[in-house]
Amino acid sequence: MSEGIAKPLKRIRASMSSSDKSALQLQSAGQEAYRLQDYRAALSYLSEALAITTSPNILINVLDNRAAVYEKLDKGYNLALRDARKIISLQNASAKGYLRAGKILQLMGRHDLALDNYSYGLKQIRPDDVNGKRLLDGMYQKVNEWSSLVSQRSRKIDPLEKLPYELVDMIFKYVPFRLLQRVNRSWRQFLTSYHRTYTALDFSAATKPVSKHTIKTYLKRSRGLVKFLFLRKMAFSDSETLVYIISRCKMLEDMVISNCHFLSSGIVQLPKIAKNLKNLDLGCAADMGVAINILQNAQSLEGLQCHNLEITQRSYVNEKLEAVNLKRLKLAWTVGSSSVHFSLFTTLLDFLLQLEELELIKVPDGLLHGAEDFTSLTKLQKLVLRETTMNQYPALPSCLIHLDISNNSQMRFDRSRVLQSPLDQLEVFGIESNPWITEVELIDIIGPSSRTKSLITLKFGMCPRIDTTSLSWLTESGLADCLLNLSVHGNSSFGDEISKELGALHRLESLDASYTKLSGIGVINLICQGSSNLVWLGLDMCENVGKDAVEYARTKGINISHKLGVFKGGKKVRY
């Protein structure tokens, strides 16, 4: 009876109420549905029977039946256990509830609780219930033997003892630092002597401030072998402690500082002390002078990212300094930074000739004066200029592969300057949120198809002067031949008519059409006539796209982002 659905009562007393008779009929229907493996129907029948019966015996039998049904449903173990415990509360001297509860606890992997359940049941059932006692005792012995066997095996097997050292070395090379902080004593002894354990000290997952003592403990265990250091939520901000940390990491190559408040006097000493430092990522607030000081003293540094720069004082660059080997530079200023004279940046470019990637974001007034000239950076492959005050398209080196000049509302495009900077190798181009650019100027920047065959990503969302009532200018120019990613979000003229034209983009994998007039019909056209390689489609705030079109796209294996805003009543609709 504890293993499945119990047999229906064979006798119905003449005095039984009509509701109890109906409950027995529903129970019988539920048992038949269970036998046919229609568990949803069985659940419906049995729940209805529970709602109308007044007989304690029928109630217990139906609860036992419903618990058996819940066992077969996804995430139904907790509901099944609830019914089993209700049986025990109604009839604690019967073995039925304990047998059902014990089985469910085993299915949940809680064998310890199953043992407690059987033990408690043996004490509660009636002395004359010989069969119930035999069943409970048998289950107790069975689970107890199995638990003992598992416990013995778990105590005997230690991977550090059984596996070859070479295999252990391969495994621990990929174990995150945060998992190594909580191990048993024997493992801690091994990890302390293991040469790979503390080569990366990563406190990025810290949920509370990390103390000086904790840092010094791990530095001592590392024995000077740290190559990667991520400091986050440090409980200290003094320069002396930061200098001490760096001085103990002689082999440090990569360092990230996030959500900390170190003094500038400590940060500027990093490249002087860590002679092997190659990448420095500063997520903490820092003055522009700190970044310049780091650049002037870090001959081995290859990458510098500053995410929260401020300009609080006039900064200068030593013009006698020889060119450094920096390859990647990202400077992002906080909102409201002071203005700065453009000669500062011009001087910086003169000794950053090895740059391969340059990102300037939220640039203060005056740093980029008019139309900047980047042609001296002959190795530059990636250039990002976002939220600047530039009023003219810059002069660019022809070696660029990635160009993003989005969110520059004042930037205009002089055709002669554009044609002087041919971008033959461009693969990624972003020009979003520009109120001046047209499709003609866009083609001039990217270059004719005879020169450019490599463009794979194109983003021109929120550009009102670019004609998106038709994309023939894009397809006929040949610029779309290799296109994999396209973003037209926010261009209000983009609608259902264009979805058919996109069928010519045979290699397209992702399309962002958010905030456009595209409707469900356009989505269907895009899927049926467009690229068979499409894997992602952005439809945020496309109010004309219904749930049916979204579901149809998903049945075709396409990932959809379809988020709608908050309307009257405060209900946020998402598909």
Side-chain angles (χ1 to χ4, degrees):
M1 190 176 294
S2 64
E3 295 301 320
I5 291 287
K7 295 180 180 180
L9 296 174
K10 295 181 179 180
R11 298 178 182 177
I12 302 178
R13 292 180 296 179
S15 60
M16 183 175 288
S17 65
S18 60
S19 60
D20 287 342
K21 292 179 182 179
S22 298
L24 282 175
Q25 291 174 354
L26 289 168
Q27 181 188 15
S28 180
Q31 292 169 341
E32 180 62 19
Y34 179 92
R35 188 182 66 81
L36 298 175
Q37 298 184 1
D38 187 356
Y39 302 120
R40 292 293 176 185
L43 180 62
S44 177
Y45 288 129
L46 295 171
S47 297
E48 189 176 351
L50 287 172
I52 64 175
T53 185
T54 59
S55 168
N57 289 330
I58 297 177
L59 181 63
I60 290 172
N61 284 329
V62 176
L63 282 171
D64 190 47
N65 292 169
R66 193 171 71 167
V69 173
Y70 276 134
E71 290 175 11
K72 302 295 184 180
L73 298 177
D74 292 337
K75 301 179 180 179
Y77 290 155
N78 287 327
L79 295 173
L81 187 59
R82 185 186 64 183
D83 281 354
R85 285 172 174 167
K86 192 169 184 180
I87 295 172
I88 294 173
S89 67
L90 292 172
Q91 201 175 65
N92 70 335
S94 171
K96 178 176 290 188
Y98 302 109
L99 290 170
R100 178 63 65 186
K103 180 185 178 184
I104 297 166
L105 289 169
Q106 289 184 71
L107 292 173
M108 297 173 70
R110 300 306 307 270
H111 297 87
D112 54 337
L113 295 181
L115 280 173
D116 293 342
N117 168 77
Y118 291 136
S119 177
Y120 180 76
L122 286 169
K123 298 175 183 178
Q124 298 298 319
I125 64 172
R126 298 187 305 273
D128 59 343
D129 189 355
V130 179
N131 185 55
K133 186 174 182 179
R134 180 181 60 80
L135 290 173
L136 280 175
D137 187 62
M139 291 305 302
Y140 179 88
Q141 297 298 333
K142 180 179 178 181
V143 176
N144 188 41
E145 290 176 5
W146 187 88
S147 298
S148 300
L149 181 61
V150 171
S151 177
Q152 291 175 5
R153 288 180 177 177
S154 62
R155 286 198 301 267
K156 289 182 178 179
I157 299 176
D158 186 341
L160 296 184
E161 298 177 0
K162 300 296 182 180
L163 294 177
Y165 180 81
E166 293 78 5
L167 189 55
V168 172
D169 182 56
M170 293 173 63
I171 294 173
F172 276 94
K173 184 166 59 175
Y174 298 101
V175 176
F177 173 73
R178 60 183 178 83
L179 297 181
L180 299 178
Q181 299 178 58
R182 295 183 178 181
V183 295
N184 59 35
R185 183 176 299 177
S186 63
W187 278 43
R188 188 181 298 115
Q189 292 174 351
F190 168 80
L191 292 173
T192 302
S193 61
Y194 178 58
H195 70 285
R196 291 189 190 276
T197 304
Y198 302 109
T199 57
L201 300 185
D202 185 355
F203 294 96
S204 59
T207 57
K208 58 182 181 180
V210 181
S211 67
K212 291 183 183 180
H213 175 73
T214 300
I215 293 289
K216 290 181 179 181
T217 299
Y218 284 111
L219 287 175
K220 183 178 180 180
R221 293 177 182 176
S222 70
R223 302 188 302 280
L225 299 177
V226 177
K227 293 185 177 181
F228 174 81
L229 180 61
F230 196 125
L231 299 181
R232 180 177 181 269
K233 299 190 73 170
M234 297 293 109
F236 50 88
S237 59
D238 57 291
S239 301
E240 292 76 12
T241 303
L242 182 60
V243 171
Y244 169 80
I245 293 172
I246 305 306
S247 64
R248 295 296 302 270
C249 304
K250 301 295 185 181
M251 301 178 66
L252 188 64
E253 296 180 356
D254 300 272
M255 183 174 185
V256 181
I257 300 178
S258 174
N259 198 13
C260 298
H261 303 282
F262 291 121
L263 298 176
S264 299
S265 56
I267 296 176
V268 296
Q269 297 186 59
L270 295 180
K272 297 178 183 178
I273 302 174
K275 299 297 184 180
N276 297 314
L277 190 64
K278 291 182 171 55
N279 297 289
L280 177 60
D281 191 320
L282 297 178
C284 55
D287 186 79
M288 179 66 180
V290 172
I292 294 176
N293 195 301
I294 291 174
L295 291 172
Q296 293 181 148
N297 293 281
Q299 296 300 309
S300 64
L301 201 64
E302 296 181 0
L304 173 62
Q305 294 84 38
C306 300
H307 302 278
N308 292 288
L309 281 178
E310 300 174 347
I311 296 181
T312 57
Q313 57 185 358
R314 186 69 180 271
S315 302
Y316 297 91
V317 178
N318 183 359
E319 298 185 8
K320 297 181 180 180
L321 186 67
E322 297 182 359
V324 298
N325 295 320
L326 196 74
K327 296 179 180 179
R328 297 173 299 279
L329 175 62
K330 177 179 179 178
L331 302 177
W333 284 264
T334 56
V335 178
S337 293
S338 310
S339 60
V340 61
H341 198 268
F342 74 92
S343 61
L344 171 64
F345 184 71
T346 303
T347 308
L348 270 177
L349 290 183
D350 291 340
F351 73 95
L352 296 176
L353 301 179
Q354 304 299 316
L355 273 183
E356 297 177 1
E357 298 180 11
L358 175 61
E359 298 184 49
L360 303 175
I361 301 172
K362 295 182 180 179
V363 180
D365 293 342
L367 186 63
L368 297 178
H369 180 70
E372 194 57 68
D373 189 342
F374 295 90
T375 54
S376 62
L377 304 178
T378 57
K379 296 184 178 181
L380 194 64
Q381 296 183 3
K382 178 180 179 179
L383 176 62
V384 177
L385 303 171
R386 298 176 68 96
E387 300 181 60
T388 74
T389 57
M390 295 178 65
N391 52 32
Q392 288 291 333
Y393 179 76
L396 302 172
S398 59
C399 54
L400 275 181
I401 295 177
H402 182 127
L403 175 62
D404 186 350
I405 49 176
S406 301
N407 300 97
N408 297 305
S409 59
Q410 301 180 35
M411 184 181 290
R412 301 196 181 215
F413 302 86
D414 179 79
R415 194 162 192 266
S416 61
R417 174 179 281 270
V418 170
L419 296 177
Q420 288 175 3
S421 303
L423 303 177
D424 302 349
Q425 304 176 49
L426 201 63
E427 295 181 1
V428 178
F429 181 52
I431 182 69
E432 297 182 304
S433 299
N434 185 288
W436 306 107
I437 191 169
T438 66
E439 66 271 14
V440 175
E441 293 162 341
L442 189 148
I443 292 176
D444 286 341
I445 293 174
I446 301 175
S449 59
S450 59
R451 289 206 313 257
T452 305
K453 290 284 189 180
S454 56
L455 189 68
I456 60 175
T457 299
L458 177 60
K459 300 180 180 181
F460 54 88
M462 301 294 291
C463 295
R465 295 197 178 189
I466 293 181
D467 181 19
T468 53
T469 58
S470 172
L471 293 181
S472 58
W473 56 269
L474 179 64
T475 56
E476 292 174 2
S477 66
L479 296 177
D481 292 348
C482 299
L483 206 60
L484 300 179
N485 312 293
L486 176 64
S487 175
V488 295
H489 86 275
N491 290 339
S492 58
S493 59
F494 185 90
D496 295 342
E497 309 82 22
I498 317 300
S499 60
K500 295 182 179 180
E501 294 185 29
L502 290 176
L505 278 61
H506 300 294
R507 300 184 61 185
L508 194 66
E509 294 181 355
S510 72
L511 171 66
D512 189 353
S514 302
Y515 295 86
T516 65
K517 295 189 299 184
L518 194 67
S519 72
I521 295 175
V523 173
I524 302 300
N525 288 337
L526 183 64
I527 296 172
C528 296
Q529 303 182 27
S531 169
S532 60
N533 297 318
L534 196 65
V535 295
W536 185 85
L537 182 59
L539 300 172
D540 294 342
M541 292 305 296
C542 291
E543 299 178 7
N544 296 323
V545 177
K547 185 175 181 179
D548 291 343
V550 173
E551 293 302 324
Y552 175 77
R554 286 174 174 160
T555 60
K556 297 297 182 180
I558 301 174
N559 293 319
I560 302 292
S561 177
H562 187 218
K563 302 175 183 177
L564 301 181
V566 178
F567 299 96
K568 289 183 179 180
K571 184 178 181 181
K572 182 173 286 187
V573 183
R574 294 189 180 202
Y575 294 128

